[in-house]
């Protein structure tokens, strides 16, 4: 602390006449009161345009740090102006914070001032106290640092990222027409590393990735870890998208070489989404959300995605579908619709395909083509798939009970590749059949080629387990995926379902007709049955029947319908021709 002479203020070096020393008894009482206070405390007087220390406790002597030549303490320099303003005001009390440079760094104090009216010829006095807050400030600072940064990588977290962006936007000089960009990066296979190598390896991977991403930054860019496996970069863009794509290129290069984790070399796959501000006035949180929406699309497309209008709406819609679907599954808000499967030669109803239906009070009717992908992405497809299998088996049991004996029909249930990868589908069916008392040969599992390609060993085990339950297996949407023809031969598959995209316009499109005929002859040589999807006209039904196709499904016969209607439909046509 500086002495009074170094400050541009009136001298307070000696007690003014009529103050200190003149009322020894009073001073003794004052000193006793001050000594009882736990913080630095002193009494000041303002006499002859000078502020004087009338009395002070031990802590104040230590706090004041400056003394006059007679050894009397001086008013702390950092408080002087506030004290003077208080003296000239009509306030009865005041508090303020002061900061000064101490030997070990900045020191912080909370100070109070109170007015003590003068009496018996004594001037008005001012009670000053100062409480040391330096330790609290240090704790606050550490807590704040923890609050704003990610403990693992030491990068800013989501909140810290927002603060860093605000700081850059307000405290640095930006050229005219400058923009900023947010680049969101999602480590695609991170959860698999965590699951297979353990969380320590996952942590190591994140630290290495953080280091590599940091190396691709330019000065002034900010890298943050804004979620488990989500990173984001704030970048100043002088040349708009082109600057942004340069950074993306550097990120890709930084992540292109493999990372060593225990004994393995791991290649890091990431999805990248970018969003650009239109001006520096854009809300940064908004731009971060747009980049996150773009990265979600990038996860599906496998390309770098730049946010475009509408994407955020799409992301919001997916988000509300996910949360509403979670509720719907918990509260029984989904139903199954049943679409008849028709034997093309005899016209008999051989079975029904069970298709999930969802009519939400808020979102209205949401088609499965929209909610199944959301369910797959969010993991909800596992409970959804379980529900569908149980519900379909129960429906069969209810139809049997209504009819008095087992109906000669089976029900097809769709399986998602994600559900097959995550759930024990064989025991799910085993339980569904056991609870409903329905024989296994009345249920068919419909799976897609992608499920077999994703994990052939797992698919093989599952299909044989389904056979043990006497269930049938159908390959859905056949022709649209990458079929491994060998697997058709070696796996216990019973039925190929030709995708609607080949069937519906095969009469007009020669190429489509060729594909359908090829699938039919392939199936014949492999001894597989074929169902044609999407039969919308009688003409098409006849053409397929002539080509030897076993079974058909489509709007020409019937649309998917509720359980009771499906029963009535079957009951009305039992033993009758349907074509
Ligand atoms: P999918 O398994 O290929 O089901 C056939 C789809 O084609 C159904 O659409 C059906 O309504 C429709 N369809 C049938 N005949 C015709 C026709 O003649 N013309 C036209 N234009 N369409 C026809 P839907 O019900 O919208 O289901 C779409 C997809 O959603 C299903 O395709 C299936 O992949 C999936 N899905 C539905 N329910 C479930 C479920 O419970 N679990 C799983 N994992 N997926 C399901
Ligand atoms: Mg299907
Ligand atoms: Mg299909």
């Amino acid at each position: 602390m500086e002495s009074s002479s170094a400050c541009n203020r009136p001298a307070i070096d000696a007690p003014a006449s009529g103050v200190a020393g003149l009322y020894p008894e009073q001073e003794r009482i004052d000193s006793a009161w001050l000594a009882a206070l736990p913080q630095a405390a002193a009494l000041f007087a303002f006499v002859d345009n000078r502020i004087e220390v009338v009395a002070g406790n031990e802590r104040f002597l230590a706090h004041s740090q400056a003394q006059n030549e007679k050894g009397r303490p001086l008013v702390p320099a950092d408080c002087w102006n506030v004290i003077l303003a208080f003296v000239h005001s009509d306030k009865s009390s005041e508090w303020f914070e002061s900061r000064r440079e101490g030997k070990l760094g900045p020191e912080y104090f909370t100070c109070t001032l109170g007015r003590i009216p003068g009496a018996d010829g004594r001037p008005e006095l001012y009670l000053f106290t100062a409480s040391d807050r330096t330790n609290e400030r240090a704790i606050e600072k550490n807590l704040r640092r923890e609050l704003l940064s990610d403990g693992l990588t030491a990068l800013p977290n989501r909140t810290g990222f927002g603060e860093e962006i605000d700081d850059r936007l307000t405290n640095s000089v930006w050229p005219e027409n400058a923009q900023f960009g947010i680049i969101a990066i999602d480590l695609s296979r991170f959860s698999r590393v965590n699951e297979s190598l353990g969380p320590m390896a996952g942590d190591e991977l994140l630290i290495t990735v953080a280091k590599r991403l940091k190396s691709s930054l330019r000065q002034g860019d900010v890298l943050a870890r804004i979620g488990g496996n989500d990173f984001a970069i704030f970048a100043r863009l002088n040349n708009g998208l082109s600057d942004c794509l340069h950074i993306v290129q550097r990120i890709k290069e930084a992540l292109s070489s493999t990372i060593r984790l225990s004994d393995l070399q791991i290649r890091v796959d990431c999805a990248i989404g970018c969003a650009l501000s239109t001006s520096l006035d854009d809300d940064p949180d908004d731009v971060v959300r747009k980049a996150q929406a773009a990265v979600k699309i990038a996860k599906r497309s496998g390309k770098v995605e730049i946010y475009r209008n509408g994407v955020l709406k799409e992301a919001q819609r997916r988000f509300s579908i996910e949360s509403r679907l979670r509720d719907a599954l918990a509260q029984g808000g989904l139903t199954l619709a049943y679409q008849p499967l028709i034997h093309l030669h005899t016209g008999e109803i051989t079975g029904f395909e069970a298709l999930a239906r969802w009519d939400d009070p808020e979102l209205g009717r949401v088609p499965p083509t929209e909610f199944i992908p959301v369910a797959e992405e969010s993991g909800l497809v596992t409970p959804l798939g379980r529900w569908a299998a149980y519900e379909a088996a129960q429906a069969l049991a209810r139809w049997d009970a209504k009819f008095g004996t087992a109906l000669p029909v089976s029900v097809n249930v769709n399986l998602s590749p994600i559900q097959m990868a995550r759930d024990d589908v064989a025991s799910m069916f085993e339980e569904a059949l056991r609870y409903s008392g329905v024989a296994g040969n009345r249920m068919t599992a419909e799976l897609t080629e992608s499920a077999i390609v994703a994990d052939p060993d797992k698919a093989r085990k599952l299909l044989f387990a389904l056979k043990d339950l006497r269930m049938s297996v159908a390959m859905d949407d056949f022709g649209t995926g990458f079929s491994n023809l060998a697997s058709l031969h070696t796996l216990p598959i019973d039925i190929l379902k030709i995708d609607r995209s080949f069937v519906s316009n095969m009469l007009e499109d020669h190429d489509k007709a060729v594909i359908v005929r090829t699938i039919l002859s392939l199936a014949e040589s492999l001894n597989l049955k074929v169902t044609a999807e999407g039969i919308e006209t009688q003409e098409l039904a006849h053409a397929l029947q002539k080509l030897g196709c076993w079974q058909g499904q489509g709007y020409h016969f019937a649309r998917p319908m509720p359980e009771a209607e499906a029963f009535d439909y079957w009951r009305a046509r039992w033993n009758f021709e349907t074509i």
Side-chain angles (χ1 to χ4, degrees):
M1 172 155 305
E2 295 162 23
S3 76
S4 63
S5 56
C7 294
N8 196 7
R9 57 187 163 115
I12 49 166
D13 51 356
S17 57
V19 183
L22 283 191
Y23 300 87
E25 180 53 17
Q26 186 60 42
E27 268 183 50
R28 203 182 56 73
I29 298 169
D30 290 343
S31 301
W33 278 101
L34 292 175
L37 289 174
Q39 65 274 68
L43 281 172
F44 300 152
F46 184 69
V47 180
D48 299 338
N49 211 23
R50 287 141 54 118
I51 294 177
E52 292 178 5
V53 178
V54 176
N57 64 11
E58 291 279 331
R59 286 184 193 83
F60 178 73
L61 296 184
H63 173 75
S64 161
Q65 289 181 349
Q67 298 172 351
N68 67 12
E69 61 277 8
K70 288 176 193 152
R72 286 191 75 89
L74 296 174
V75 172
D78 49 294
C79 305
W80 161 242
N81 282 335
V82 191
I83 296 170
L84 197 64
F86 176 71
V87 167
H88 291 305
S89 74
D90 53 7
K91 292 180 190 165
S92 60
S93 65
E94 171 86 293
W95 79 272
F96 59 95
E97 290 190 320
S98 82
R99 174 191 189 278
R100 68 186 187 193
E101 283 311 316
K103 287 192 192 93
L104 302 172
E107 294 176 338
Y108 300 89
F109 300 91
T110 300
C111 304
T112 65
L113 282 169
R115 202 178 289 276
I116 303 171
D120 304 330
R122 270 173 54 121
E124 190 174 60
L125 295 180
Y126 309 98
L127 174 63
F128 168 84
T129 67
S131 308
D132 193 343
R133 296 272 177 252
T134 311
N135 282 344
E136 281 100 322
R137 277 297 185 98
I139 293 170
E140 244 176 65
K141 210 170 145 189
N142 285 343
L143 279 177
R144 195 167 163 71
R145 194 179 308 130
E146 272 177 38
L147 205 72
L148 296 178
S149 66
D150 159 44
L152 184 69
T153 58
L155 293 174
N157 58 18
R158 182 73 174 83
T159 323
F161 191 44
E163 295 222 345
E164 293 273 350
I165 295 175
D166 285 343
D167 177 64
R168 296 290 192 287
L169 288 175
T170 42
N171 296 331
S172 52
V173 185
W174 289 73
E176 227 178 282
N177 297 330
Q179 284 174 285
F180 64 89
I182 303 288
I183 301 167
I185 303 144
D186 179 297
L187 300 189
S188 318
R189 286 184 304 164
F190 176 71
S191 53
R192 280 178 73 178
V193 171
N194 247 358
E195 277 162 23
S196 48
L197 300 178
M200 296 268 276
D203 287 356
E204 211 180 313
L205 179 69
L206 286 170
I207 293 169
T208 313
V209 168
K211 276 191 201 147
R212 292 202 184 172
L213 288 175
K214 215 158 186 185
S215 71
S216 58
L217 299 189
R218 306 160 311 170
Q219 208 183 1
D221 294 346
V222 183
L223 171 68
R225 182 176 169 220
I226 59 170
N229 55 345
D230 297 318
F231 291 88
I233 292 171
F234 165 84
R236 169 203 289 259
L237 307 175
N238 295 333
N239 302 303
L241 188 57
S242 138
D243 273 8
C244 196
L245 293 176
H246 271 110
I247 301 172
V248 167
Q249 188 54 34
R250 276 208 302 279
I251 293 171
K252 284 182 157 177
E253 280 161 17
L255 297 180
S256 63
S257 56
T258 53
I259 293 177
R260 195 178 172 80
L261 283 186
S262 31
D263 291 340
L264 299 168
Q265 296 282 353
I266 306 250
R267 189 169 298 281
V268 187
D269 276 344
C270 65
I272 299 179
C274 311
L276 275 59
S277 73
T278 45
S279 77
L280 293 183
D281 297 332
D282 282 7
D283 177 4
D285 276 347
D286 217 36
V287 187
V288 173
R289 272 194 295 275
K290 287 175 176 171
Q292 286 180 306
V295 85
K296 274 205 156 188
I297 307 221
K299 273 166 86 171
R300 276 176 275 142
S301 72
K303 295 183 296 188
V304 175
E305 295 287 346
I306 313 295
Y307 175 82
R308 55 186 164 75
N309 276 339
V311 163
L312 200 58
K313 268 202 176 140
E314 252 171 63
Q316 278 161 352
R317 165 105 180 146
R318 286 177 88 86
F319 182 75
S320 45
I321 288 182
E322 183 185 326
S323 64
R324 300 290 309 157
L325 184 61
R326 185 166 280 120
D327 287 354
L329 279 167
Q331 290 156 14
L334 264 68
T335 55
L336 284 179
Y338 298 86
Q339 187 176 31
L341 301 164
I342 309 296
H343 191 288
L344 287 180
H345 196 70
T346 64
E348 270 175 298
I349 303 164
T350 51
F352 293 88
E353 176 170 7
L355 295 157
R357 292 290 177 265
W358 178 29
D359 201 353
D360 184 70
E362 270 177 34
L363 301 172
R365 183 165 293 210
V366 187
T369 41
E370 196 175 2
F371 69 76
I372 297 286
V374 177
E376 288 179 330
E377 205 177 273
S378 58
L380 287 173
V381 79
T382 306
L384 188 151
R386 286 198 156 244
W387 162 81
Y390 282 80
E391 180 61 17
Q394 296 286 341
L396 265 177
R398 285 190 287 264
W399 286 337
D400 292 352
K402 224 170 171 177
F403 189 55
T405 179
L407 265 62
V409 295
S410 61
V411 170
N412 292 20
V413 175
N414 289 285
L415 292 179
S416 142
I418 312 276
Q419 178 194 2
M420 283 170 60
R422 298 202 182 154
D423 201 8
D424 182 353
V425 170
S427 32
M428 170 191 86
F429 275 119
E430 196 267 323
E431 278 169 29
L433 293 168
R434 190 152 38 89
Y435 286 143
S436 56
V438 164
N441 62 0
R442 294 179 65 205
M443 287 195 96
T444 300
E446 288 196 8
L447 49 117
T448 54
E449 293 152 285
S450 58
I452 293 176
V453 175
D455 192 343
D457 281 344
K458 188 160 187 176
R460 163 179 299 274
K461 280 192 194 117
L462 169 63
L463 296 199
F464 279 102
L466 296 182
K467 287 279 114 186
D468 288 345
L469 294 171
R470 296 175 53 223
M471 286 178 58
S472 299
V473 175
M475 189 70 92
D476 204 357
D477 306 336
F478 189 73
T480 57
F482 299 96
S483 293
N484 177 350
L485 290 182
S487 69
L488 287 183
H489 184 57
T490 54
L491 291 176
I493 295 165
D494 307 283
I495 303 156
L496 295 184
K497 292 189 78 175
I498 313 180
D499 192 64
R500 189 172 83 227
S501 58
F502 304 115
V503 177
S504 355
N505 55 353
M506 63 174 264
L507 295 182
E508 299 85 47
D509 186 334
H510 176 72
D511 291 349
K512 300 272 166 76
V514 170
I515 292 173
V516 171
R517 268 203 290 269
T518 310
I519 295 176
L520 284 168
S521 70
L522 172 79
E524 195 179 358
S525 53
L526 291 172
N527 209 14
L528 300 171
K529 293 176 180 168
V530 176
T531 302
E533 293 179 341
I535 301 178
E536 294 188 355
T537 61
Q538 185 161 37
E539 214 187 341
L540 202 50
H542 278 304
L544 284 157
Q545 183 205 351
K546 272 201 208 139
L547 286 172
C549 183
W550 168 64
Q551 189 171 254
Q553 171 182 5
Y555 294 170
H556 163 61
F557 304 109
R559 289 185 178 247
M561 54 194 128
E563 182 184 321
E565 246 177 69
F567 177 80
D568 293 342
Y569 180 91
W570 174 82
R571 188 80 180 78
R573 283 159 187 79
W574 190 44
N575 278 343
F576 291 97
E577 277 272 325
T578 335
I579 296 188

